[in-house]
């Protein structure tokens, strides 16, 4: 498969060394060989599917349902408060999880992890569950 306008993407040098995500069931994802010809701006996915239907993506999608499931699970933790900050431009709820660790003040550090549900934020979205699992 050839994507002939990949050179027109916002950051075409990111295609160097990139491998396309692929899935037969949208649950289990794997990477397939991909090459980029910078002189022509063409991205080539080198994959022979083993089934009739295959889904290709830049990153494995992180659905809005997965996002809301994470929010709902986290609000049940004893040291987490869920706040509704407002609405996104497309009308979705914008949440903040506030974590209050039970440590003496001298050990506390403040960090903020921010992400939104948009196609370009997929890598960050997969990171958030890994970060909050230590809460």
């Amino acid at each position: 498969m050839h994507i002939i306008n990949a050179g027109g993407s916002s950051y075409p040098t990111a295609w160097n060394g990139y491998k396309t995500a692929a899935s037969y069931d949208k649950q289990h994802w794997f990477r397939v060989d991909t090459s980029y010809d910078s002189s022509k701006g063409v991205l080539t996915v080198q994959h022979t599917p083993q089934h009739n239907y295959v889904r290709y993506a830049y990153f494995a999608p992180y659905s809005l349902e997965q996002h809301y499931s994470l929010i709902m699970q986290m609000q049940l933790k004893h040291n987490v408060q869920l706040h509704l900050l407002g609405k996104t431009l497309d009308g979705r709820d914008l949440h903040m999880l506030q974590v209050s660790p039970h440590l003496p003040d001298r050990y506390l550090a403040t960090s903020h992890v921010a992400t939104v549900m948009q196609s370009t934020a997929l890598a960050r979205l997969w990171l958030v569950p890994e970060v909050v699992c230590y809460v």
Side-chain angles (χ1 to χ4, degrees), residues 21-30 53-55 57 59-63 65-66 126:
S23 177
Y24 296 115
D25 61 6
K26 297 192 312 181
Q27 297 295 317
H28 302 91
W29 290 84
F30 54 96
Y53 181 81
V54 62
R55 183 93 181 246
F59 284 102
Y62 192 87
S63 71
E65 186 61 35
Q66 287 172 288
W126 281 108

Side-chain angles (χ1 to χ4, degrees), residues 11-89:
Y11 191 60
T13 57
W15 296 124
N16 295 319
Y18 170 75
K19 288 190 170 201
T20 302
S23 177
Y24 296 115
D25 61 6
K26 297 192 312 181
Q27 297 295 317
H28 302 91
W29 290 84
F30 54 96
R31 295 290 180 165
V32 297
D33 289 334
T34 307
S35 61
Y36 178 63
D37 182 342
S38 59
S39 66
K40 296 179 182 175
V42 175
L43 185 73
T44 302
V45 178
Q46 297 130 348
H47 180 239
T48 303
Q50 297 177 3
H51 301 281
N52 290 333
Y53 181 81
V54 62
R55 183 93 181 246
Y56 296 106
Y58 184 66
F59 284 102
Y62 192 87
S63 71
L64 189 58
E65 186 61 35
Q66 287 172 288
H67 173 77
Y68 285 137
S69 292
L70 175 65
I71 296 293
M72 294 174 78
Q73 290 171 15
M74 290 303 299
Q75 75 174 345
L76 300 176
K77 294 185 177 268
H78 71 288
N79 61 332
V80 175
Q81 289 182 309
L82 176 63
H83 301 279
L84 178 61
L85 300 178
K87 299 280 186 183
T88 64
L89 292 176

Side-chain angles (χ1 to χ4, degrees), residues 90-110:
D90 56 357
R92 294 184 181 140
D93 289 345
L94 180 62
H95 296 106
M96 178 182 74
L97 295 171
Q98 182 179 6
V99 180
S100 302
H102 300 287
L103 296 171
D105 287 343
R106 68 179 186 265
Y107 295 115
L108 291 182
T110 301

